[in-house]
């Protein structure tokens, strides 16, 4: 998704109880301040009675300075009972990628970032193994080896303390688990909740370890990949993106793994891009992803 203007834009994500006139009232907020809306989309979730909206407008000519927009919108947000977030298109997010030993998702994200498909910076890659250091060195990206260390006294995992310190040191906005084969603790997720994971199956089917072997043994005709936000519930966070590919009886487990890796690359990239472009609204354990 690209903006209709070359200049920076403001992006407002709104979630509130459905009620009459919400589209008009939010559009009026922009129009009364001489704003030009370039994208607007909304959805009503009938099951929950929620109104969900993404609105984007040009900052050029807008009567309110960007550092005053949040304060200007707050009274309307209070009246409609909204939970909301404001972003600006020229703010480049800083993404930390976490890996273990597999390189296919990491390499894909690095190349997409270099090609301009993902508008972000990648200041650091972290791993519980040293396997992928050379790949990061080739692209001049800092690599941090953080081995997994448990606290025998039942406290927070030692390695997560180091990881959180590195995230703060590099001013990271988003963590992407690009085949990071470790479970994050609830304490970590409370301290840093913005984490996206790629799972090598079409959730909720075949969760946990060995999904391709499970799929092969079951004789399924499609396999998939799922990108989701990470929560305390393993592989059960809000889903951002999914896709599938057909397989046949001729495909071995190795064939399934090869096809699955191709899917994982694409699905994770789509999810990360949607997040970076502020097109994802989470409500409960679901998401609405605006085109």
């Amino acid at each position: 998704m690209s903006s209709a203007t070359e200049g920076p834009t403001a992006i407002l994500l709104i979630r509130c109880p459905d009620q009459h006139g919400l589209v008009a009232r939010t559009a009026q907020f922009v129009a009364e301040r001489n704003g030009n809306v370039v994208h607007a989309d909304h959805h009503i979730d009938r099951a929950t009675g929620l109104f969900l909206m993404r609105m984007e407008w040009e900052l050029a000519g807008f009567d309110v300075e960007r550092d005053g927009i949040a304060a200007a919108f707050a009274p309307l947000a209070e009246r409609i009972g909204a939970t909301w977030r404001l972003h600006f298109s020229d703010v480049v997010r800083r993404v930390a990628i976490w890996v273990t030993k597999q390189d296919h998702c990491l390499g894909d994200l690095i190349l997409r970032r270099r090609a301009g498909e993902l508008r972000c910076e990648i200041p650091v890659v972290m791993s519980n193994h040293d396997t992928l250091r050379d790949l990061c060195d080739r692209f001049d990206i800092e690599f941090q080896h953080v081995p997994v260390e448990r606290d025998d006294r039942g406290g927070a995992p030692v390695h997560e303390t180091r990881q959180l310190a590195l995230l703060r040191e590099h001013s990271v906005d988003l963590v992407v688990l690009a085949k990071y084969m470790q479970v994050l603790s609830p304490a970590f997720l409370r301290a840093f909740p913005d984490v996206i994971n790629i799972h090598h199956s079409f959730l909720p089917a075949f969760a946990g370890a060995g999904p391709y072997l499970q799929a092969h043994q079951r004789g399924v005709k499609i396999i998939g990949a799922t990108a989701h936000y990470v929560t305390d519930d393993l592989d059960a966070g809000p889903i951002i993106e999914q896709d599938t590919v057909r397989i046949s009886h001729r495909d071995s487990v190795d064939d399934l793994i090869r096809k699955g890796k191709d899917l994982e690359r694409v699905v994770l990239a789509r999810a990360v891009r949607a997040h970076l472009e502020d097109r994802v609204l989470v409500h409960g354990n679901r998401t609405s992803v605006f085109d």
Side-chain angles (χ1 to χ4, degrees), residues 90-162:
D90 58 351
V91 174
V92 179
R93 297 329 208 295
R94 294 172 64 80
V95 177
I97 303 177
W98 291 14
V99 293
T100 294
K101 293 183 177 181
Q102 297 183 52
D103 61 2
H104 59 288
C105 286
L106 171 62
D108 185 72
L109 291 172
I110 291 173
L111 291 174
R112 290 180 189 272
R113 186 263 171 192
R114 284 171 61 91
E117 293 182 29
L118 297 175
R119 193 168 185 273
C120 65
E121 296 177 1
I122 305 175
V124 64
V125 170
M126 297 189 212
S127 179
N128 55 325
H129 291 271
D130 208 39
T131 308
L132 300 180
R133 182 183 295 275
D134 288 347
L135 174 60
C136 294
D137 288 345
R138 269 180 267 160
F139 291 97
D140 198 27
I141 298 174
E142 180 178 328
F143 181 91
Q144 288 285 347
H145 178 209
V146 185
V148 172
E149 298 180 55
R150 307 295 181 187
D151 188 336
D152 294 335
R153 297 166 297 179
V158 176
H159 61 281
E160 289 189 350
T161 301
R162 173 61 176 153

Side-chain angles (χ1 to χ4, degrees), residues 16 23 31 54 77 94 141 158 226 240 266:
C16 68
V23 174
R54 182 188 189 275
R94 294 172 64 80
I141 298 174
V158 176
T226 301
I240 308 169
V266 173

Side-chain angles (χ1 to χ4, degrees), residues 252-268:
S252 66
V253 173
D254 286 342
D255 292 326
L256 268 61
I257 292 172
R258 172 178 52 80
K259 292 181 178 182
K261 284 183 175 181
D262 287 342
L263 273 183
E264 289 167 9
R265 293 182 183 98
V266 173
V267 169
L268 181 58

Side-chain angles (χ1 to χ4, degrees), residues 45-118:
D45 187 330
R46 300 295 183 185
T48 60
L50 284 176
F51 172 86
L52 309 161
M53 184 175 192
R54 182 188 189 275
M55 184 165 61
E56 181 176 3
W57 69 92
E58 295 174 338
L59 288 172
F62 196 57
D63 289 343
V64 181
E65 294 295 325
R66 61 193 292 164
D67 58 0
I69 295 175
F73 182 72
L76 174 57
E78 185 175 359
R79 288 196 296 273
I80 63 178
T83 301
W84 56 283
R85 302 197 313 271
L86 178 68
H87 302 280
F88 299 100
S89 64
D90 58 351
V91 174
V92 179
R93 297 329 208 295
R94 294 172 64 80
V95 177
I97 303 177
W98 291 14
V99 293
T100 294
K101 293 183 177 181
Q102 297 183 52
D103 61 2
H104 59 288
C105 286
L106 171 62
D108 185 72
L109 291 172
I110 291 173
L111 291 174
R112 290 180 189 272
R113 186 263 171 192
R114 284 171 61 91
E117 293 182 29
L118 297 175

Side-chain angles (χ1 to χ4, degrees), residues 220-265:
V220 301
K221 303 308 178 190
I222 59 170
I223 59 170
T226 301
H228 63 96
Y229 289 115
V230 177
T231 64
D232 291 353
D233 297 322
L234 181 64
D235 298 333
I239 292 170
I240 308 169
E241 180 64 49
Q242 293 183 296
D243 208 345
T244 60
V245 64
R246 293 199 63 82
I247 60 173
S248 79
H249 59 278
R250 298 183 185 278
D251 288 320
S252 66
V253 173
D254 286 342
D255 292 326
L256 268 61
I257 292 172
R258 172 178 52 80
K259 292 181 178 182
K261 284 183 175 181
D262 287 342
L263 273 183
E264 289 167 9
R265 293 182 183 98

Side-chain angles (χ1 to χ4, degrees), residues 22-37:
L22 287 173
V23 174
R25 294 169 77 180
T26 50
Q28 185 179 17
F29 167 80
V30 176
E32 286 180 343
R33 293 160 179 81
N34 201 37
N36 180 42
V37 174

